Amino acid sequence: MKNAFVSLFTMATLGMALSFNAFAKEYQTADQQLQAATTPTDAIERLKAGNARFVAGENFDRDYPAQAELTSEDGQYPWAVVLSCLDSRSTPEKVFDQGIGDLFVGRVAGNVVSDNMLGSFEFATRVAGAKAIVVMGHTACGAVKGACDGVELGNLTTLLGEIMPAVDGITTEPGTDRSSANAEFVHKVTKLNAQMQVNEILRRSDVIREMVEAGDLVVVPAIHDLSTGEVTFY
Ligand SMILES: [Zn+2]
């Protein structure tokens, strides 16, 4: 009887350990198999699911040292790319609840495209196998506000110039405040800017456009609401 109890206890403990390992393995990190099995639609759905966990305060409890060890040994197989703002509050790995080796991330104030960024994305997709590119703007973006206000400062002037087509692209009634004091105007420019950067990626990169046309990649805009944490794809 005692032995039976001991073995039952052992089995229960073993069962718990096994299920914990299964959980840990499932969310360990992206590997070659996961990346290969991921479609562009899957990639977007996985980002949405991760953002839902972030909003709910239910981010996975990851073993980062283990992820670092695994990805350094086996290589990286990220399945998505995110172009986001420099803003310290809009961090892709956190808001999409992803670990080491899951995402390629390009960051620059105003999430604008450049030749170097395009080259990086061509590597990330055509060479390294990512299935989606998300251009993620965010609410209350200082770079967008600066562009609306025509701020000039050193090299920042050129950078903000990249956002000006979105500022000019929003039409308003005569007399409307088109400065950063108008939150609704700023939000419209932010949304249009992310969409225009998506268009720029497709216009300026033959490599990426061909992948999209073949159905191997999607390039989409999104907006991260800093106050709720929610990312809206559109
Ligand atoms: Zn910003």
Side-chain angles (χ1 to χ4, degrees):
M1 191 65 193
K2 191 185 174 190
N3 280 348
F5 176 77
V6 169
S7 73
L8 267 177
F9 179 77
T10 307
M11 281 171 70
T13 311
L14 190 66
M16 278 170 66
L18 279 174
S19 64
F20 175 75
N21 282 341
F23 180 85
K25 190 169 187 301
E26 187 177 353
Y27 302 111
Q28 190 59 265
T29 185
D31 57 18
Q32 196 165 13
Q33 209 176 356
L34 178 83
Q35 189 199 51
T38 302
T39 66
T41 307
D42 292 338
I44 298 300
E45 290 308 310
R46 201 174 294 148
L47 291 172
K48 286 180 178 174
N51 180 241
R53 292 193 299 275
F54 174 72
V55 170
E58 293 171 353
N59 285 30
F60 290 146
D61 188 10
R62 291 183 168 79
D63 184 344
Y64 288 115
Q67 288 199 333
E69 194 180 342
L70 202 70
T71 50
S72 66
E73 284 171 0
D74 299 347
Q76 61 166 346
Y77 299 96
W79 40 270
V81 184
V82 182
L83 169 57
S84 74
C85 184
L86 185 74
D87 197 292
S88 65
R89 301 160 295 181
S90 193
T91 53
E93 289 92 341
K94 291 253 188 329
V95 303
F96 289 121
D97 187 27
Q98 300 301 325
I100 293 169
D102 285 317
L103 304 179
F104 283 113
V105 174
R107 299 190 65 169
V108 60
N111 41 272
V112 295
V113 170
S114 63
D115 287 347
N116 290 337
M117 198 67 86
L118 286 173
S120 302
F121 292 174
E122 287 170 0
F123 165 78
T125 55
R126 187 68 180 81
V127 181
K131 307 299 175 72
I133 299 175
V134 179
V135 177
M136 184 173 79
H138 67 94
T139 56
C141 180
V144 170
K145 287 180 178 177
C148 293
D149 293 342
V151 167
E152 294 189 1
L153 173 72
N155 292 286
L156 186 57
T157 308
T158 308
L159 195 159
L160 296 184
E162 301 288 337
I163 305 173
M164 286 315 293
V167 176
D168 296 338
I170 300 296
T171 52
T172 49
E173 295 294 319
T176 302
D177 181 1
R178 293 175 63 90
S179 78
S180 63
N182 183 344
E184 191 189 342
F185 179 69
V186 170
H187 190 69
K188 283 179 180 172
V189 174
T190 303
K191 274 191 79 174
L192 182 58
N193 178 52
Q195 178 63 61
M196 289 179 95
Q197 299 306 326
V198 166
N199 298 347
E200 280 297 286
I201 292 171
L202 297 173
R203 186 179 70 80
R204 289 161 63 178
S205 171
D206 294 343
V207 172
I208 290 171
R209 193 175 58 255
E210 283 164 13
M211 287 185 74
V212 170
E213 285 167 359
D216 297 329
L217 178 70
V218 288
V219 187
V220 295
I223 293 292
H224 171 215
D225 187 321
L226 290 186
S227 60
T228 65
E230 191 175 355
V231 178
T232 305
F233 290 79
Y234 58 98

